[in-house]
Amino acid sequence: MSLSIGIVGLPNVGKSTLFNALTKKQVAVENYPFCTIDPNVGIVEVPDERLNKLARVSKPAKIIPTTIKFIDIAGLVKGAHKGEGLGNQFLAHIRECDAICEVVRDFQDNNIIHVDGKIDPDGDVETINLELIFSDLNTVEKRLSKAEKNARTGDKKLIEYKNLLQKIKQNLEKGTSARAIELNADEKKQIYDLNLITIKPIIYILNVSELNEQKKLQNNKTIQIDVKLEQEISALPENEQKEYIKELGLVQSGLDKLIQTCYELLDLITFFTTGTDETRAWTVNNRAIAPQAAGVIHTDFEKSFIRAEIINWEKFIKADGEQKAREQGLIRTEGKDYVMQDGDVCNFLCKQ
């Protein structure tokens, strides 16, 4: 699965610094608005200790983790939906992402200009939220105009679609994000092609100079990260990073926590394939069935799926590999209706 997270926020809040830390790709972080114009893209490995533990048993030639794509999108400002600060261009980049990671500034530094001249995390969240809502409102209004004309034919489905758009428009006008509107599965399917920004899942990064668990954004899912510190950690050799994290009294780096939280945000799970050629992690939607998981490996496998051989990753390791797991009867045979579980080690059998 190709997954993308758009990093957004006001100018000079730490977006590009976070991106640098995540990807170790050096992009411009100069101290002025709009220094990032074209979105920078980086592919990030999803940290998963299970992968290396499986590899120690299988001794593969290659170890391949699953990944997430992070996109560093230039800073938005008030009036972005009207094109302020090249806003329309930047909003288009956000529409292409699966989820949003908004960086919110909560650190003092007189050398770094805040676009509004003051540090106000909740105010910054409101500014960005309103710009995204206004952008979606423009999209819905354009589609509604056409839908109202079509509904005049009296077609029941066209009337229902018009009413659905009116419902969304009314909520957006009240300042309600599309993700907060009660929509059933069929309604979500009907508006899928609108590609609304505010229907995408969102997580907030509170960029602090000192971690303080008491600080939270109002009514929002928040992760506190000292982005500057995380960049320092990521610049260290890999063997030194874990030691430094321990010295700081942390269980894991803020970046690892962010990546894992993005995974949870998108309601994803990981399954594995392992052997002498490679040990590999794969991403699939939670509650996906076995043929869909097989299709992630190769699109033809979903149609030609026969059955799957499944074992939990811990049982695989405890048995010391596939052969002994088979001898102990630990590998199960599952059919087309099997719902994949996080941590499944799989072998898919398909028609040739």
Side-chain angles (χ1 to χ4, degrees):
M1 293 179 70
S2 177
L3 306 164
S4 59
I5 310 290
I7 302 175
V8 306
L10 294 171
N12 299 336
V13 296
K15 299 183 312 301
S16 294
T17 304
L18 176 66
F19 179 84
N20 285 343
L22 278 166
T23 65
K24 298 181 185 177
K25 284 179 67 174
Q26 294 303 307
V27 296
V29 289
E30 283 85 352
N31 178 29
Y32 58 90
F34 318 123
C35 80
T36 309
I37 296 177
D38 294 324
N40 296 285
V41 178
I43 307 298
V44 179
E45 294 181 0
V46 176
D48 196 326
E49 291 185 1
R50 297 174 298 181
L51 191 63
N52 290 326
K53 289 178 180 179
L54 288 167
R56 282 196 286 271
V57 174
S58 299
K59 297 178 175 57
K62 293 185 293 184
I63 301 173
I64 305 175
T66 190
T67 60
I68 292 182
K69 179 167 67 175
F70 281 90
I71 303 173
D72 177 27
I73 296 168
L76 297 171
V77 293
K78 288 178 182 177
H81 69 286
K82 298 177 183 177
E84 293 292 332
L86 301 179
N88 288 329
Q89 180 182 339
F90 303 158
L91 289 164
H93 294 316
I94 302 172
R95 289 189 189 281
E96 297 167 5
C97 299
D98 296 304
I100 301 169
C101 170
E102 183 176 336
V103 181
V104 183
R105 178 174 171 176
D106 193 20
F107 65 88
Q108 294 286 346
D109 189 330
N110 294 332
N111 295 316
I112 300 177
I113 303 162
H114 188 289
V115 70
D116 290 333
K118 62 179 179 179
I119 307 302
D120 179 12
D122 286 308
D124 291 354
V125 168
E126 184 178 4
T127 296
I128 297 294
N129 189 46
L130 286 175
E131 290 306 319
L132 301 184
I133 285 174
F134 281 134
S135 180
D136 279 352
L137 189 56
N138 288 339
T139 300
V140 172
E141 285 175 339
K142 288 177 184 176
R143 183 64 63 87
L144 180 58
S145 178
K146 183 178 179 181
E148 286 174 336
K149 292 178 183 177
N150 293 338
R152 290 172 192 159
T153 61
D155 184 286
K156 185 179 178 181
K157 287 187 177 180
L158 294 177
I159 293 172
E160 286 178 354
Y161 182 60
K162 179 203 71 172
N163 292 339
L164 172 60
L165 292 176
Q166 286 177 335
K167 172 184 173 181
I168 295 169
K169 177 177 179 289
Q170 289 166 3
N171 277 276
L172 291 172
E173 287 175 334
K174 294 175 184 176
T176 303
S177 297
R179 75 179 70 85
I181 303 171
E182 288 189 20
L183 300 171
N184 60 40
D186 182 59
E187 288 174 328
K188 289 179 181 178
K189 188 175 180 180
Q190 288 185 64
I191 63 167
Y192 179 80
D193 67 327
L194 289 176
N195 205 10
L196 298 177
I197 297 176
T198 65
I199 206 166
K200 299 178 188 296
I202 188 167
I203 186 170
Y204 294 87
I205 301 299
L206 194 61
N207 185 6
V208 298
S209 55
E210 186 176 335
L211 298 178
N212 180 351
E213 291 185 5
Q214 301 303 315
K215 288 186 177 181
K216 296 287 181 184
L217 293 168
Q218 292 179 9
N219 305 316
N220 290 309
K221 183 159 188 157
T222 310
I223 294 179
Q224 276 192 35
I225 295 182
D226 182 338
V227 173
K228 189 176 180 181
L229 176 62
E230 292 295 331
Q231 189 177 38
E232 291 175 11
I233 294 171
S234 68
L236 294 172
E238 195 168 335
N239 61 327
E240 294 180 22
Q241 289 183 25
K242 290 183 179 179
E243 201 60 42
Y244 188 31
I245 290 167
K246 284 182 181 178
E247 288 177 11
L248 293 169
L250 303 174
V251 176
Q252 63 179 164
S253 74
L255 299 184
D256 284 354
K257 185 177 181 181
L258 167 60
I259 294 166
Q260 290 172 346
T261 303
C262 286
Y263 227 60
E264 295 167 7
L265 189 70
L266 292 167
D267 199 20
L268 304 171
I269 61 171
T270 300
F271 71 91
F272 303 95
T273 53
T274 187
T276 53
D277 290 337
E278 67 177 32
T279 294
R280 183 164 183 166
W282 303 86
T283 299
V284 70
N285 289 318
N286 192 14
R287 295 176 294 279
I289 56 176
Q292 292 171 328
V296 171
I297 296 174
H298 195 291
T299 52
D300 290 343
F301 289 178
E302 183 170 357
K303 292 180 181 178
S304 60
F305 177 91
I306 299 173
R307 64 184 182 275
E309 295 179 331
I310 306 280
I311 180 172
N312 174 267
W313 73 277
E314 289 179 303
K315 289 183 178 179
F316 182 93
I317 291 170
K318 191 174 181 180
D320 197 29
E322 182 178 343
Q323 184 176 339
K324 291 182 180 178
R326 286 188 185 281
E327 292 171 359
Q328 295 172 35
L330 297 174
I331 297 178
R332 314 184 314 273
T333 298
E334 300 287 357
K336 294 182 178 181
D337 295 330
Y338 175 71
V339 178
M340 297 295 295
Q341 301 298 308
D342 186 59
D344 280 345
V345 178
C346 308
N347 180 32
F348 296 107
L349 290 94
C350 304
K351 295 176 185 175
Q352 297 295 322

